Amino acid sequence: MQIQQLRYLVAAAEHGSFRAAAQHLFVSQSSLSVAIKELEAEMGISIFNRSSRGISLTSEGVEFLSY
């Protein structure tokens, strides 16, 4: 787990989409998405529910974000 991944996680949760979070952080959407997927794989949980309307935190994601 890296600090950058946690920053990406917080921004994505706040903005409700990877695209908006990436624009806010001045990074590409693909690098942000990959970083979040790597974090999910490392932690063994699904942090976000992904849909065509955006993203939302799972119950595991809410708990993880609270830490």
Side-chain angles (χ1 to χ4, degrees), residues 1 6 37-47 64:
M1 179 181 338
L6 297 176
K37 279 193 179 276
E38 288 174 353
L39 180 61
E40 288 177 322
E42 183 179 338
M43 300 309 296
I45 62 172
S46 178
I47 297 173
F64 181 75

Side-chain angles (χ1 to χ4, degrees), residues 7-18:
R7 287 185 183 130
Y8 289 175
L9 170 68
V10 170
E14 287 176 350
H15 290 280
S17 77
F18 290 148

Side-chain angles (χ1 to χ4, degrees), residues 10-65:
V10 170
E14 287 176 350
H15 290 280
S17 77
F18 290 148
R19 181 179 167 271
Q23 286 179 336
H24 177 76
L25 295 167
F26 302 103
V27 297
S28 70
Q29 179 182 347
S30 61
S31 64
L32 185 137
S33 181
V34 167
I36 297 291
K37 279 193 179 276
E38 288 174 353
L39 180 61
E40 288 177 322
E42 183 179 338
M43 300 309 296
I45 62 172
S46 178
I47 297 173
F48 291 106
N49 291 316
R50 294 158 173 86
S51 72
S52 60
R53 295 182 157 189
I55 58 173
S56 62
L57 287 168
T58 63
S59 58
E60 294 171 325
V62 170
E63 185 176 349
F64 181 75
L65 191 59

